[in-house]
Amino acid sequence: MRSYNQYCSMARALDLVGDRWTLLIVRELLTQGPCRFSDLRRGLPGVASNLLAERLREMEANGVITRQDEPPPIAATLIRLTDRGQELSGVVRELTRWGAPLMLEPPDGDAFRMHWFTLPLRHLCRDGSPDEPAVTVRLGDLHDGCDIIADHGQIQVLPCSTARQADATVTAPPQVLVALFTGLMTLPTAQAQGLVVDGSSAALQRLLPEAGFASG
């Protein structure tokens, strides 16, 4: 690991987390929670197994992640963020916010995973009908997706779970989802551009930012 050799907190932080893939590994662990090496690989298309293993060794040595052998029925080694690693959530959140304007152009051959929306959706969604019963909207599926839960004015965005019954399941081209959840496109316009709702469209509408009702 190369160092900037600067007596500066930012430089020293980048010494530990500034290498390629490191913060994306943090993103995956914040999004998926504790997971297997294979789960990380699926969430990081383009990373070589040996490079991922090297980054994980460095992160473990620096106290950012830890590994724990789980007994059956999991029977696997899970990788998780330490408390110190969890403190990077603010860094990831701000980078996500700062990079949002760069998402407005359609992807040009870029890889995409639906669960990558988990972190930004926690800040983009709102509960437009807080007095109504709770609803769950699923983006994607159990293999790759997230559940958005609106309950009495509170929003949670969690990994998909078989324990939850979705009121609506949504699939769409990624650029359409970005436009919809940033308020640049209305739901009818999004549906005309490839968004499909299996279930209650009203449940999805409830989650959209206010600008989404008037733009597009």
Side-chain angles (χ1 to χ4, degrees):
M1 181 185 303
R2 291 177 291 182
S3 172
Y4 288 104
N5 294 314
Q6 295 181 9
Y7 187 58
C8 161
S9 60
M10 179 178 176
R12 288 194 169 180
L14 289 173
D15 284 347
L16 301 189
V17 299
D19 281 335
R20 191 173 185 225
W21 295 107
T22 300
L23 283 177
L24 292 183
I25 293 170
V26 173
R27 176 200 68 189
E28 288 303 303
L29 294 173
L30 287 171
T31 301
Q32 299 190 50
C35 56
R36 300 172 175 85
F37 184 90
S38 58
D39 298 328
L40 283 177
R41 278 289 317 273
R42 281 195 297 271
L44 295 166
V47 69
S49 293
N50 60 339
L51 180 55
L52 177 56
E54 179 183 343
R55 288 290 179 267
L56 291 174
R57 284 193 296 269
E58 293 169 351
M59 294 170 73
E60 188 172 19
N62 292 322
V64 178
I65 66 165
T66 186
R67 306 174 202 246
Q68 184 172 337
D69 293 328
E70 296 290 335
I74 297 176
T77 299
L78 295 187
I79 301 159
R80 67 184 72 229
L81 292 169
T82 62
D83 290 344
R84 179 77 165 149
Q86 287 282 349
E87 291 175 0
L88 288 166
S89 61
V91 176
V92 173
R93 180 181 65 247
E94 288 305 307
L95 281 172
T96 300
R97 182 192 62 79
W98 190 83
L102 307 176
M103 297 289 290
L104 299 181
E105 296 183 6
D108 185 17
D110 288 355
F112 170 70
R113 299 290 184 269
M114 186 70 80
H115 74 265
W116 292 343
F117 276 124
T118 300
L119 297 180
L121 286 174
R122 290 172 183 169
H123 307 286
L124 292 171
C125 292
R126 55 128 203 176
D127 185 356
S129 303
D131 296 328
E132 297 294 323
V135 296
T136 298
V137 173
R138 178 163 296 164
L139 300 190
D141 54 35
L142 291 169
H143 176 69
D144 176 38
C146 58
D147 288 343
I148 312 168
I149 304 163
D151 187 3
H152 293 91
Q154 301 297 312
I155 293 289
Q156 286 184 290
V157 187
L158 303 170
C160 294
S161 171
T162 56
R164 285 187 291 272
Q165 181 68 38
D167 297 282
T169 299
V170 179
T171 57
Q175 68 271 23
V176 173
L177 287 175
V178 169
L180 179 67
F181 281 100
T182 54
L184 297 177
M185 185 181 289
T186 61
L187 180 53
T189 302
Q191 290 174 306
Q193 296 193 24
L195 182 141
V196 176
V197 180
D198 181 8
S200 170
S201 295
L204 173 59
Q205 183 73 74
R206 173 174 169 176
L207 304 173
L208 299 181
E210 289 186 4
F213 294 103
S215 306

